[in-house]
Amino acid sequence: MTQFGIGQPVRRVEDRRFITGHGRYVDDIARPRQAHAVFVRSPHAHAALRRIDTAAAVRARGVVAVLTGADLAADGLGPIPCVSGVAGAVLPLRPAMVADRVRHVGDTVAMVIADSAAAARDAADLVAVDYQPLQGVVETAHALDPGRPLVWDEAKGNLCFAWEVGDEAAVAAAAAQARHKVALTLVNNRVVVSSMEPRGALGEYDPGEDTHTLWSSTQGSHFIRNLLAEHVLRVPENRIRVVTPDVGGGFGMKLFLYPEHALVLWAAKRIGRPVKWLPDRSDSFVTDTQGRDNLTTLTLSLDENLKFLGLKVELLANMGAYLSNFAPEIPTFSGAVMHSGVYAIPAIHVSVKGLFTNTVPVDAYRGAGRPEAAYALERLVSFAARQLGVAPDELRRRNLVAAAAMPYATPLGLVYDSGDFGRNLDQALRTADAGGLPARRAAARARGCYRGLGHAVYIEQSGFPPDEFAELRFDPSGTLTILMGSQSSGQGHQTAYAQLASEKLGLDLDKIRVQQGDSAAIAFGRGTGGSRSIPVGGAALMHAAEKLIDKGKRVAAHLLEAAAADIAFADGAFAIAGTDRRVTVDAVARAAFNPAQLPPDVEPGFAESGHFTPPAPTFPNGVHVCEVEIDPETGVVRIERYLVVDDFGVVINPLLLAGQVNGGIAQGVGQAMLERTVFDPESGQLLSGTFSDYALPRADDLPPLEFAYNVVPCRTNPLGVKGAGEAGAIGSPPALINAIVDALGEFGIDHIDMPATPEAVWHAIRAATSRQPV
């Protein structure tokens, strides 16, 4: 282990430029002769476009062009694709700008381009659109009801797909022999992603080279380039360059190809000037993909000893009006297969119906299906414990997969390679002083409040295939540049990747530079999603470093006049084994650029690349414990204590890890307690379309977060790490709701849906007390 290597709490090296104002985001980029775009969005959830009159807007001062869906279609641009692998899904074509029919509030009907953003905004108000409003459907629970308006004619009954996994017959047999059966229907509420930095895009066309360049806030330049080239612009990939500068948060939402990416490139070529678009928050609320929005019914079968026998899951997943790039995969391959959780359940069957509504499209949001599965299962287990009169931790312990059972094959096709779930649970509840809850509950009652303790034991899949790419390039001065195909959006990649290189090559961090985000400079990349960057990208980096060391041994052997087989590498130096004759890695790098210092069979230069394809996902897991106090007069929930015990395998940087967990917990708490996305069922209007109506978590919504971890190394990647970027958002919603329900148990309340806002809690208490005898 080096001073800056694996396991060291190195402070983020990228933070210096961020806190001194030297970060460079899309908003900071300007091109010569740049024009500005504003989009005219539909105010209707469902309407036919009868006529668009752009004449007044075209005449407005500073306007360069006003473009419509008809112009787009005439130029032959392809649709925004869904690249889902769900068989049988209805895949309607999604144009970047509609020409005939809008399907959600915020659908794009015109593009106004002007010399300034202000001029474009003013001119956009002059575009007159004649709409014929149509009936729409926005509610997940009723979109499949007979007679509801169709979002797409080809999707009968608004059904996008029907998908299943598991053994339905085995679940039915388990139910038939069960002593107990417990059923629960719950909502996983829709969330607006709300990254700190909104999306944005700047397109430029070079007629001399016939090339397009897109600057955008994304989670992966290569993925965006590939979709643009193959599906939209239909040009070779080397004709498109995508550059992702610093990114202020993504959470899955910035992974995808959006209409605006295609439109700024198309418009730039059409008008002969770069075109830049930056949204305001109101625009983001109705154009960014949103998350979650599931309705789930679960039925758990148990024997006389309260051992789980079978689990039936029926899930409705709202896709929105259009299919975003991965939308059908989120509730299916990503989420549904995790309904086994940490439990030994012999038989499971999950059926998923994806449905269309006249709402903003839904796709991956931090955790991408795994939080939905964990929430459903962990609420079900706590609900079942209450129904059956057993402590929730006891019911869990009776059914946990034992550490000795690893590797464990679930009934849904996954194999957990490692984990000690019982150890995490015991440590978390001991640390939380669960035994002291009765005294704290009594003290709260004396103050007129209600105290509750909840926990959740989660597991998720992350760091899954396919491969990732890394390239290590030494320059003649002996310093190293790391080129990575993943993309940081605030996680601290620059620090983590430099730590891995420091560990392997023995370099100080000030000799290492990390580059990401430019498809013209980096040969290949899958982008960042599913917590893959370190388990997959980091493994690729280490593979490239091993190849560099192998080459370095040959160069060092020549310099030291020894055989390559006698050269060993450690602590940043090559040495003849058993002697003190050595040469540092940076000296070898300098020599590698001098043909006179190289053996005849070694080419000049010192650079190598590496790929790594994981054979299976990693399975981070842990236990969240939350203690709350509720004021029954206001419904306000106060989180008094929050702690988590996680297993992320080998830890690269404890500081970065804690930051990821803390941020994830805050997002999960936001969904569980605050964030309420409301579409009017009649008009389809987004009623919570600003931060005045949509609440995000603030610092005073959370106590100091207590974080600990157990190291159980992963067996499916060479680093032994498990993905950590999403785990906090997976365990926190069920832990918080379980705590709230525990506090409300005295009122006879056994479930409350997310978000448990003060209003929702107050109404639940009032409804429960009105049913109680006087």
Side-chain angles (χ1 to χ4, degrees), residues 560-593:
L560 297 171
E561 298 179 331
D566 295 331
I567 301 296
F569 181 78
D571 301 324
F574 298 90
I576 301 175
T579 76
D580 59 358
R581 296 183 60 204
R582 61 197 296 274
V583 59
T584 62
V585 66
D586 50 345
V588 166
R590 288 192 294 270
F593 287 90

Side-chain angles (χ1 to χ4, degrees), residues 131-175:
Y131 297 95
Q132 179 185 352
L134 302 171
Q135 285 190 316
V137 57
V138 299
E139 298 169 285
T140 304
H142 300 296
L144 299 180
D145 290 353
R148 298 313 300 266
L150 295 181
V151 180
W152 295 94
D153 294 340
E154 58 266 45
K156 303 305 179 185
N158 290 317
L159 182 66
C160 175
F161 63 84
W163 182 93
E164 62 181 338
V165 64
D167 190 333
E168 186 174 15
V171 170

Side-chain angles (χ1 to χ4, degrees), residues 52-141:
I52 301 178
D53 185 351
T54 64
V58 169
R59 292 193 301 268
R61 185 172 181 176
V63 170
V64 178
V66 181
L67 305 174
T68 67
D71 300 315
L72 187 77
D75 283 357
L77 263 71
I80 305 299
C82 173
V83 291
S84 163
V86 174
V90 178
L91 303 175
L93 296 179
R94 181 188 186 183
M97 190 156 50
V98 299
D100 56 354
R101 186 171 158 193
V102 296
R103 289 179 167 84
H104 70 90
V105 172
D107 228 345
T108 306
V109 299
M111 180 182 192
V112 179
I113 304 166
D115 292 329
S116 69
R121 281 193 294 270
D122 290 343
D125 291 337
L126 300 176
V127 176
V129 184
D130 183 9
Y131 297 95
Q132 179 185 352
L134 302 171
Q135 285 190 316
V137 57
V138 299
E139 298 169 285
T140 304

Side-chain angles (χ1 to χ4, degrees), residues 402-672:
M406 299 297 172
Y408 175 78
T410 78
L412 298 177
L414 298 176
V415 177
Y416 301 161
D417 66 284
S418 59
D420 192 341
F421 312 139
R423 175 188 177 189
N424 294 338
L425 179 60
D426 291 343
Q427 180 179 338
L429 292 180
R430 184 172 61 250
T431 304
D433 185 23
L437 177 65
R440 297 192 296 275
R441 199 192 298 271
R445 288 292 291 115
R447 296 190 298 273
C449 295
Y450 292 80
R451 196 96 170 189
L453 184 72
H455 65 273
V457 187
Y458 80 91
I459 188 169
E460 68 135 335
Q461 59 168 332
S462 64
F464 33 74
D467 62 332
E468 192 48 86
F469 168 85
E471 184 177 359
L472 306 185
R473 293 181 187 169
F474 275 92
D475 57 44
S477 70
T479 56
L480 175 67
T481 297
I482 303 172
L483 296 97
M484 296 299 304
S486 59
Q487 176 64 50
S488 178
S489 55
Q491 299 93 332
H493 287 186
Q494 188 173 339
T495 302
Y497 288 139
Q499 281 188 258
L500 292 177
S502 177
E503 174 79 19
K504 195 70 175 178
L505 299 174
L507 293 172
D508 291 340
L509 295 188
D510 60 3
K511 292 187 175 183
I512 303 172
R513 177 173 173 264
V514 177
Q515 183 176 350
Q516 295 178 294
D518 189 342
S519 67
I522 299 164
F524 176 80
R526 302 284 187 185
T528 291
S531 301
R532 299 176 71 254
S533 294
I534 298 303
V536 188
L541 185 158
M542 299 299 264
H543 180 49
E546 290 166 358
K547 292 166 69 176
L548 264 182
I549 291 170
D550 288 342
K551 180 174 182 177
K553 287 180 179 180
R554 296 162 66 193
V555 177
H558 187 72
L559 295 175
L560 297 171
E561 298 179 331
D566 295 331
I567 301 296
F569 181 78
D571 301 324
F574 298 90
I576 301 175
T579 76
D580 59 358
R581 296 183 60 204
R582 61 197 296 274
V583 59
T584 62
V585 66
D586 50 345
V588 166
R590 288 192 294 270
F593 287 90
N594 184 351
Q597 293 185 285
L598 293 177
D601 61 339
V602 175
E603 293 183 355
F606 203 45
E608 291 288 352
S609 64
H611 284 259
F612 176 70
T613 301
T618 72
F619 293 97
N621 59 88
V623 177
H624 288 233
V625 183
C626 180
E627 188 162 335
V628 302
E629 191 165 294
I630 299 175
D631 181 347
E633 298 303 315
T634 64
V636 170
V637 177
R638 178 177 176 82
I639 301 176
E640 296 292 338
R641 191 177 182 192
Y642 199 104
L643 65 91
V644 57
V645 176
D646 279 316
D647 166 19
F648 296 121
V650 174
V651 173
I652 305 300
N653 184 320
L655 285 180
L656 295 185
L657 181 62
Q660 288 293 294
V661 172
N662 289 352
I665 290 171
Q667 283 187 278
V669 165
Q671 180 186 5

